[in-house]
Amino acid sequence: MVKKLKLAKSVDSISYLHPEDGMITIAKNKRKRKRRKGSKQLAGASKMMRAMSAAQLAGAEAMADRSAKADKEEKDGAIRNLASNSQRAMEKAAKVFRSKFE
């Protein structure tokens, strides 16, 4: 009985030689890498938009985490620490934005 193996789509064929020889050959087909669609003139703007959205997400998460922590620690902590929490969240967002261009 022949056992069928599940292989990745990139594998085209397998050649199996006798076990006494100890040789197994796998022939693979390389997939073409898909090109990102978009004009070269707007590539920089596109990269900047992706970096800005990642930075905004990081800043919003930092603000939410810090506000939740401040609320647990003291009464109305999120309101009392709003200035420092928002400042630190903006610093976190700026750090993420800068890291996308290094």
Side-chain angles (χ1 to χ4, degrees):
M1 182 165 105
V2 177
K3 187 175 181 179
K4 287 240 175 184
L5 297 173
K6 278 192 164 188
L7 301 171
K9 290 182 181 179
S10 63
V11 176
D12 183 37
S13 65
I14 296 178
S15 305
Y16 178 78
L17 299 177
H18 199 271
E20 291 176 2
D21 297 337
M23 295 176 68
I24 298 175
T25 304
I26 299 175
K28 293 185 177 182
N29 278 347
K30 291 264 185 179
R31 284 188 181 182
K32 269 185 153 179
R33 187 173 172 164
K34 290 187 178 181
R35 216 182 66 146
R36 177 174 279 156
K37 293 179 181 157
S39 61
K40 290 183 180 181
Q41 294 87 358
L42 297 177
S46 177
K47 181 179 178 182
M48 185 171 287
M49 283 181 50
R50 285 193 303 273
M52 281 188 346
S53 64
Q56 287 176 345
L57 179 64
E61 286 176 349
M63 181 69 180
D65 292 344
R66 294 187 65 78
S67 294
K69 184 180 175 186
D71 258 347
K72 284 182 183 178
E73 289 176 357
E74 62 181 322
K75 182 178 178 182
D76 297 329
I79 302 299
R80 290 180 183 192
N81 299 337
L82 181 65
S84 64
N85 287 346
S86 61
Q87 178 66 30
R88 287 197 176 198
M90 286 187 345
E91 288 172 2
K92 172 80 173 185
K95 184 177 180 181
V96 170
F97 184 74
R98 282 191 308 269
S99 72
K100 297 290 181 180
F101 289 102
E102 289 178 349

